[in-house]
Amino acid sequence: TTDPSRRAIRKLLSRVDDILDVSRMETGKLSIDPDITELATLADSVCVELSPLAHELRIDIVSEVDTALPFIKVDADKVERVLINLVDNALKYSPPDKKVIIRAYEPGNSDVPDGFVQIEVVDSGPGIPDEYKERLFDRYTQVEGRKKVRRGVGLGLTFCKLVAEAHGGHIWISDNPTGGSIFSFTVPIAKITPLPEDEPSLTGD
């Protein structure tokens, strides 16, 4: 099986997972299994996963996530799928020879709430009209009049919203000052509890 075929199969399976998970989350049946995770590792995995597609489109995916960021407590599989959905969406509408950037901020930066890390996917696409900035997270909503590019099932952003909210965070869209959009979402930081020996330890509490 060729690499493009493998990617197509993985994308199809991911969309099926999104459909099932959206249904389960909305009926309260999907369980989130949070664990201590390094965000930089997740971001790097997404870059590797989508780099062949980005190469075909002549777009660079760049992770600017600092390894010094606090660890996060999330369901790593689902948060990785959120990032894949957001980066794939950015690739879908970005012009050639541009960058899609993954970056993150800890509290004290960019109005990030205490106890959370803010993750952003930045593109240089056509941008999102104000009237769609919230509606795009609803099922099957697309910007009217926009050329369809690699049509999907229209549930990717709905899945992203439900995952962010299941972790106690939220997701939103803002304008990229240099053109395009910034998709941002927040996830909780893993708490650190000192051990009796005064050595720091990560806990799930």
Side-chain angles (χ1 to χ4, degrees):
T1 308
T2 64
D3 284 342
S5 297
R6 289 194 188 98
R7 290 203 304 277
I9 292 169
R10 284 198 301 269
K11 181 176 287 292
L12 177 59
L13 292 175
S14 178
R15 285 175 177 165
V16 170
D17 284 342
D18 285 356
I19 292 169
L20 293 174
D21 283 346
V22 165
S23 176
R24 290 169 185 152
M25 283 182 141
E26 291 187 336
T27 57
K29 294 180 180 178
L30 179 72
S31 61
I32 295 292
D33 186 18
D35 204 354
I36 295 164
T37 304
E38 185 181 40
L39 178 57
T41 301
L42 284 185
D44 288 344
S45 295
V46 171
C47 291
V48 170
E49 172 74 17
L50 293 177
S51 62
L53 174 60
H55 180 73
E56 291 174 10
L57 298 171
R58 292 177 22 222
I59 299 169
D60 290 330
I61 308 174
V62 179
S63 173
E64 296 181 353
V65 178
D66 193 333
T67 56
L69 277 171
F71 282 79
I72 54 177
K73 189 179 181 191
V74 298
D75 188 317
D77 174 68
K78 290 181 175 60
V79 170
E80 183 174 346
R81 280 166 53 197
V82 168
L83 278 173
I84 287 174
N85 276 332
L86 294 180
V87 173
D88 181 71
N89 187 70
L91 291 173
K92 192 181 298 184
Y93 295 106
S94 291
D97 303 315
K98 295 290 186 179
K99 291 181 179 180
V100 170
I101 300 170
I102 305 172
R103 63 192 185 196
Y105 303 95
E106 59 186 302
N109 296 278
S110 189
D111 299 322
V112 182
D114 288 341
F116 286 84
V117 165
Q118 180 172 314
I119 306 165
E120 298 182 345
V121 174
V122 184
D123 68 54
S124 301
I128 306 295
D130 288 343
E131 63 268 28
Y132 283 94
K133 282 187 169 71
E134 291 188 15
R135 291 173 52 201
L136 272 184
F137 297 106
D138 297 336
R139 287 175 180 243
Y140 309 115
T141 300
Q142 292 182 325
V143 178
E144 292 180 11
R146 184 156 294 178
K147 181 181 177 183
K148 301 295 189 299
V149 185
R150 295 190 290 114
R151 282 182 67 106
V153 294
L155 288 173
L157 292 180
T158 304
F159 171 79
C160 294
K161 178 182 179 181
L162 292 172
V163 170
E165 291 177 349
H167 285 88
H170 67 292
I171 189 168
W172 67 97
I173 305 169
S174 54
D175 294 327
N176 183 0
T178 59
S181 299
I182 302 174
F183 285 72
S184 307
F185 66 103
T186 52
V187 292
I189 293 171
K191 294 182 180 179
I192 299 177
T193 303
L195 290 172
E197 299 85 357
D198 294 325
E199 295 179 2
S201 171
L202 295 172
T203 75
D205 297 334

